[in-house]
Amino acid sequence: MAFSMGDKIRPRKPGRKRELGDDQKQEIREAFELFDTDKDGLIDYHELKVALRALGFDVKKADVVKILNDYDRNQEGKLCYQDFNELVTEWMLDRDPREEIIKAFHLFDDDDSGKISLRNLRRVARELGEDMQEEELRAMIEEFDKDGDGEINENEFIAIMTGDV
């Protein structure tokens, strides 16, 4: 599940008051450094597309071209870190937290059942390298399973993620 930008691509806006957290700022820095494969301090079309996708943004070829036109101050067909940071910061600030939670739910619900089962939770724990016992996983589900069906539905997941349990 990726964040689709569609018509959200727009030039920078001066005077923005909102700010990202330190973890998000670090994530942007690391993505830029990782995908600046030739280590020239600039990312080109291909590097930009991969970096944005790694950050969870679903961008098409036309989106990347428009980004380069709107944000490339030096008109080199590449973005420096400052331009990349400005773009991604704006996009991250525009994300809808509830929409992001629903996307996360669907990462757990890989069988599209509309619920997170013990099998789903076990798979995610394994993918994250967590060595959790079956009893621990069951206890997690039992704690938040408000309707008593043995699985976590989307509303229960949203409540978990928003601390509204």
Side-chain angles (χ1 to χ4, degrees), residues 145-156:
D145 177 22
K146 300 304 178 200
D147 63 9
D149 66 354
E151 298 178 313
I152 302 297
N153 64 39
E154 190 174 290
N155 289 331
E156 292 164 338

Side-chain angles (χ1 to χ4, degrees), residues 65-129:
V65 170
K66 181 159 177 40
I67 291 164
L68 287 171
N69 288 335
D70 290 346
Y71 285 86
D72 176 14
R73 299 172 206 239
N74 302 326
Q75 301 300 308
E76 301 172 322
K78 296 182 176 188
L79 293 186
C80 65
Y81 174 73
Q82 182 180 352
D83 295 336
F84 179 78
N85 183 52
E86 194 171 309
L87 165 73
V88 176
T89 295
E90 182 175 325
W91 284 9
M92 283 184 165
L93 289 171
D94 285 345
R95 284 182 167 165
D96 176 4
R98 182 176 170 88
E99 186 179 307
E100 295 299 309
I101 291 170
I102 292 169
K103 288 179 197 171
F105 174 81
H106 290 290
L107 292 175
F108 281 84
D109 179 26
D110 67 334
D111 55 4
D112 293 324
S113 66
K115 300 191 177 208
I116 299 171
S117 65
L118 181 60
R119 185 194 66 74
N120 296 136
L121 194 55
R122 188 182 313 115
R123 176 190 53 80
V124 170
R126 190 174 46 249
E127 287 175 2
L128 294 174

